[in-house]
Amino acid sequence: MKFIQEALFVLLVSATSWKAIDGFAGLAGQSSIMRSSSRLHVNTGSIGLGPGEQQQEEEQEDAELVAGVDYEIPDHESYRTSRRSKMDEKCDAWFAELLGDGDGVLGGLAQSARSTLTTPVELKNDEALPLDDEEWTPYVDTKLPWTPLYPAFGLEQFGLPIPRRNAETWRHFDVAGMVGTDYSDLPEGTGTDLVLENEELVSKYHAALQQSGGWLDDEACEARLVYINGRFSPQLSKTTDDYRNLNSDDDFSDEAKGFLSRLPDGFTDELAAPVPSGESEFLTSYSKLSGPDHCVGEPTSQFAINVQQGTACFAALNTVKTGAVAYIHQPEGKISEKPVLLVNAFTKSGGASKDTEEGKGVTSHPRSLLVAEDNSKLSFVQSIVDLDATEEEARPKFHNGYTQMYIKAGANVTHSYLEESGGMPVGGVEVMLDELSEGDVNPRDLEAARVELDDTHLETVDVHVMGDAGNYEGTMMGVGGSGRVRMALSVSLLRPETHATVNGLMLSGGTQRGDMKTNIHHIAQGTTSEQSQKNMVGGRATAAFRGRIRVEQSAQQTNSEQLSRTILLSDRSRVWAVPSLEIIADDVQCTHGATVSDLSEEELFYLRSRGLDRTLARNLLMYAFVEEVSRAVDPAMMEALDSDAGFQKRVIQKLENLVPQGERAILGEFQSS
């Protein structure tokens, strides 16, 4: 006790307040002690009990700093691009080349999208709101006033996030290979219809489309819209007033223009339909869902970008550059038993002009809009195929597709997306050099020589179920041979009792890079969803799946299921499977899971015990694995097994190309002896 008294005595002496010392020593009255303080604002009557109110006020006054006197305000704009790496600069320059100067056919919508892209984001500090504000939250990232402000990664030059190699959503994609290829050319005649010169040429294209699988006869479909290298072909199409091609923004209703102007990833903040919240309130803002503590906030923040699919910039680019829009409008109450087929076929040159610089790639921007009115029913099939009807020099091709769907009350839409472009990967690339016989050609050399390996296929599918009891059933299948394939599907359930079923299949072989992104967003109460994703990866290919399910606070009584299953057919193949749940509501039933394995040794043994050899047993299990997803495709596209035009037959051919060769065909590290 004596030691403590001596320490306090020294402290007070250093403060040179003899009046306070007298008070502490008992030489002054008690009232004098409680009211006295030192010149250093030490309230001696509160020693050990924290600062008094007077001390707090004086310290706060002294702590206020004056801008320009106590600190310098940095020039924030000078720091805007300071964090970009060389690769980031290359990504921005590549995207700027794609954007170019000219616009497509959407007029004012294209100009608005261009303005959104080219206007840099505002550099602003995240300020805390007053405690009594209804939107107050402790989760703010306020920078000190003398700290430079930076945009989020990917927003250094443009108004929407541009791909970055280290960004979460692009982490497993070949960004370096994509931006290292020049795709700045456009197909010749973009914005105009493709008129074939004579009946002979029409027949030639017709036969080529039948051979590739991008065809249904008139009696087998409600409508058929055929686009070749992004240009509408009226001679190969079957159109009606409800299913037609549009190449001017003047042809659209105000509602359709509003739909076409929307961007994914929350960059259009207003929800496609108001979401009931309570008895009389409605939610209308994407950025404020589950707010203030659990909302994603502004889409340009780093927090929001980390959970986005990274498709907004390409959707805006499509709006700027597209040369035609496939418009599918299902009238109220109409029940269609036959599908509507949309075909995007690409020649080897991608439609590039003969004068185009050799080796320069070409970009197409297919666009489609589907609106299903109340209590209607429709099957919509998108087929992306190669068209080998002309002798042309092959060029690298970049496919930047954007599909929008708006499903109203009681409507039921079945959607099949079949990506088959890019030829066939070379089989056997997993074989080691010491396994090759003398004189054999190395499969890896053949695969490296494929021009289609430089092709990039990006597709954004944005679905909004905006009416009570609306239903969406989608199947995304990537079975083509393009070097880089990335498909992103987003489904927003905006009204009660809406439902979504999402099926996906990714087949990757050779040295392909495949990426499947899905986002199922439960916003309204009582919504349900089911998702099944399957991946089969062989050769030296790489595949990635990231499936996100977000359940907002307003989405009570949600029921959601998600399962991802992957089969690795080669020791040299790789996969990343990342199913994720973000649940804000507290009254839900949600499950998710992922498995990665080789084919089951027990199942192989069972089939071999029934007389099948190992190769046939493996093939049978591969077919069964894929068939669970492919049977969700519209039956009109499947055909019989003995038909060369059926989708099922073409999938089998793709699977046979993935069958392991060399030592892995007999025994691999995932199998027991």
Side-chain angles (χ1 to χ4, degrees):
M1 187 66 183
K2 182 178 179 181
F3 173 77
I4 296 176
Q5 290 178 344
E6 291 177 353
L8 288 173
F9 183 84
V10 172
L11 173 63
L12 294 172
V13 169
S14 65
T16 65
S17 178
W18 297 108
K19 184 177 180 180
I21 294 175
D22 291 342
F24 178 76
L27 301 179
Q30 181 67 21
S31 60
S32 175
I33 297 175
M34 297 301 295
R35 290 190 297 269
S36 63
S37 63
S38 73
R39 289 187 298 172
L40 295 181
H41 309 293
V42 177
N43 191 331
T44 57
S46 304
I47 292 177
L49 302 177
E53 293 182 2
Q54 179 181 355
Q55 178 184 347
Q56 286 181 319
E57 293 176 359
E58 293 176 351
E59 287 181 350
Q60 185 175 2
E61 292 176 359
D62 292 345
E64 291 182 359
L65 301 177
V66 180
V69 178
D70 298 301
Y71 65 90
E72 294 184 2
I73 301 177
D75 179 12
H76 300 300
E77 284 297 327
S78 65
Y79 291 90
R80 179 180 289 274
T81 61
S82 61
R83 297 193 301 176
R84 283 196 305 183
S85 65
K86 295 295 183 182
M87 175 54 66
D88 296 342
E89 294 176 358
K90 189 174 182 179
C91 290
D92 288 344
W94 174 82
F95 190 85
E97 286 289 327
L98 292 182
L99 183 60
D101 297 325
D103 292 347
V105 300
L106 290 183
L109 297 177
Q111 295 174 11
S112 176
R114 178 180 287 276
S115 175
T116 301
L117 277 170
T118 56
T119 303
V121 297
E122 180 185 359
L123 300 178
K124 57 183 180 180
N125 205 352
D126 192 6
E127 299 290 347
L129 296 173
L131 290 175
D132 57 353
D133 194 294
E134 62 179 9
E135 295 186 2
W136 178 87
T137 176
Y139 305 111
V140 292
D141 184 19
T142 304
K143 304 292 190 302
L144 294 173
W146 51 83
T147 303
L149 299 179
Y150 303 95
F153 289 102
L155 288 172
E156 291 87 350
Q157 181 173 338
F158 292 95
L160 297 174
I162 305 303
R164 293 290 186 261
R165 183 167 57 181
N166 293 326
E168 186 63 31
T169 189
W170 295 98
R171 186 178 302 277
H172 303 302
F173 192 72
D174 184 18
V175 173
M178 179 177 69
V179 302
T181 307
D182 184 1
Y183 298 112
S184 57
D185 195 22
L186 290 173
E188 188 176 16
T190 295
T192 61
D193 291 348
L194 176 64
V195 179
L196 302 178
E197 298 174 356
N198 50 58
E199 288 299 323
E200 181 181 353
L201 193 57
V202 172
S203 299
K204 185 177 181 180
Y205 274 71
H206 178 198
L209 287 171
Q210 282 186 315
Q211 183 66 28
S212 64
W215 188 265
L216 286 177
D217 292 331
D218 290 355
E219 60 274 10
C221 61
E222 287 279 346
R224 182 182 60 251
L225 305 177
V226 178
Y227 295 81
I228 298 177
N229 296 325
R231 300 175 63 190
F232 179 66
S233 175
Q235 294 158 288
L236 296 170
S237 301
K238 173 189 175 183
T239 62
T240 68
D241 291 340
D242 295 322
Y243 321 116
R244 64 191 191 276
N245 171 70
L246 300 176
N247 52 18
S248 171
D249 62 342
D250 296 332
D251 298 332
F252 291 98
S253 64
D254 291 340
E255 181 187 54
K257 288 182 180 179
F259 291 154
L260 288 169
S261 66
R262 297 186 64 87
L263 295 175
D265 282 341
F267 283 94
T268 298
D269 186 62
E270 183 180 2
L271 298 174
V275 179
S277 177
E279 296 182 359
S280 59
E281 296 182 358
F282 291 88
L283 305 176
T284 59
S285 173
Y286 180 94
S287 62
K288 295 182 180 180
L289 292 174
S290 299
D293 291 341
H294 303 290
C295 59
V296 295
E298 293 297 324
T300 54
S301 68
Q302 190 65 62
F303 176 78
I305 290 175
N306 288 342
V307 296
Q308 292 171 3
Q309 293 183 328
T311 57
C313 66
F314 291 104
L317 178 64
N318 180 287
T319 303
V320 172
K321 291 294 188 179
T322 189
V325 179
Y327 183 47
I328 296 91
H329 177 252
Q330 189 72 351
E332 181 177 353
K334 181 176 180 179
I335 307 297
S336 297
E337 301 297 336
K338 300 175 183 179
V340 172
L341 175 63
L342 171 60
V343 180
N344 278 290
F346 298 93
T347 61
K348 292 181 179 179
S349 69
S353 171
K354 295 180 180 179
D355 300 330
T356 302
E357 180 183 344
E358 184 178 356
K360 191 174 185 178
V362 59
T363 297
S364 61
H365 302 276
R367 183 67 170 268
S368 55
L369 172 64
L370 183 150
V371 180
E373 300 290 349
D374 295 351
N375 301 314
S376 61
K377 182 179 180 181
L378 176 68
S379 176
F380 178 47
V381 180
Q382 289 179 275
S383 179
I384 295 85
V385 296
D386 293 325
L387 185 64
D388 298 327
T390 58
E391 296 295 331
E392 299 175 330
E393 177 188 359
R395 293 180 180 274
K397 295 180 285 294
F398 182 80
H399 175 283
N400 177 35
Y402 187 21
T403 300
Q404 297 172 280
M405 299 188 193
Y406 297 88
I407 303 170
K408 299 186 179 181
N412 192 320
V413 173
T414 302
H415 176 220
S416 304
Y417 186 89
L418 313 176
E419 199 288 301
E420 302 181 72
S421 63
M424 184 87 72
V426 176
V429 297
E430 71 276 9
V431 177
M432 302 299 291
L433 293 177
D434 56 4
E435 298 180 51
L436 296 174
S437 302
E438 185 177 353
D440 288 347
V441 179
N442 189 348
R444 276 182 278 173
D445 294 337
L446 297 177
E447 173 71 359
R450 281 200 316 127
V451 177
E452 293 84 359
L453 207 60
D454 290 329
D455 291 354
T456 300
H457 182 98
L458 301 185
E459 181 69 33
T460 302
V461 180
D462 194 25
V463 181
H464 298 264
V465 187
M466 52 187 296
D468 291 8
N471 181 73
Y472 169 78
E473 181 176 346
T475 302
M476 306 281 291
M477 301 191 71
V479 296
S482 297
R484 292 172 288 271
V485 179
R486 189 179 195 267
M487 295 185 288
L489 168 66
S490 177
V491 183
S492 297
L493 303 175
L494 299 164
R495 300 292 295 184
E497 299 182 11
T498 53
H499 175 78
T501 299
V502 176
N503 302 299
L505 174 67
M506 179 70 73
L507 296 184
S508 298
T511 55
Q512 285 183 281
R513 300 289 290 270
D515 197 354
M516 180 77 77
K517 306 284 185 186
T518 63
N519 178 40
I520 301 177
H521 198 176
H522 292 265
I523 303 177
Q525 182 174 347
T527 57
T528 57
S529 67
E530 300 175 34
Q531 181 176 11
S532 175
Q533 173 68 32
K534 293 193 174 184
N535 311 296
M536 186 172 287
V537 191
R540 296 174 182 267
T542 298
F545 165 71
R546 180 178 291 274
R548 176 177 179 249
I549 296 177
R550 180 174 171 89
V551 183
E552 300 291 353
Q553 195 168 21
S554 56
Q556 304 291 343
Q557 284 107 45
T558 287
N559 192 332
S560 181
E561 300 176 2
Q562 181 189 67
L563 178 61
S564 169
R565 292 194 287 173
T566 302
I567 289 181
L568 293 178
L569 297 172
S570 164
D571 297 337
R572 305 288 184 267
S573 58
R574 291 183 294 172
V575 69
W576 287 269
V578 188
S580 64
L581 287 175
E582 299 176 17
I583 303 175
I584 314 302
D586 54 11
D587 182 11
V588 300
Q589 293 183 3
C590 296
T591 63
H592 71 156
T595 63
V596 180
S597 70
D598 192 1
L599 295 173
S600 170
E601 182 66 23
E602 292 182 358
E603 294 174 353
L604 285 172
F605 176 79
Y606 175 82
L607 292 175
R608 295 186 69 187
S609 69
R610 295 300 185 268
L612 279 66
D613 61 30
R614 189 176 191 87
T615 300
L616 185 57
R618 286 183 67 90
N619 291 351
L620 184 61
L621 291 179
M622 291 168 62
Y623 302 153
F625 180 80
V626 172
E627 195 269 339
E628 292 181 26
V629 175
S630 61
R631 67 186 176 191
V633 175
D634 191 285
M637 298 299 295
M638 299 301 292
E639 297 284 347
L641 280 173
D642 56 355
S643 170
D644 291 335
F647 178 72
Q648 188 169 358
K649 183 65 174 290
R650 298 194 300 278
V651 170
I652 290 175
Q653 292 173 350
K654 304 279 186 179
L655 291 174
E656 290 174 345
N657 186 59
L658 290 179
V659 174
Q661 300 180 21
E663 291 296 323
R664 188 66 172 84
I666 302 173
L667 184 65
E669 63 180 68
F670 302 123
Q671 297 177 352
S672 57
S673 56

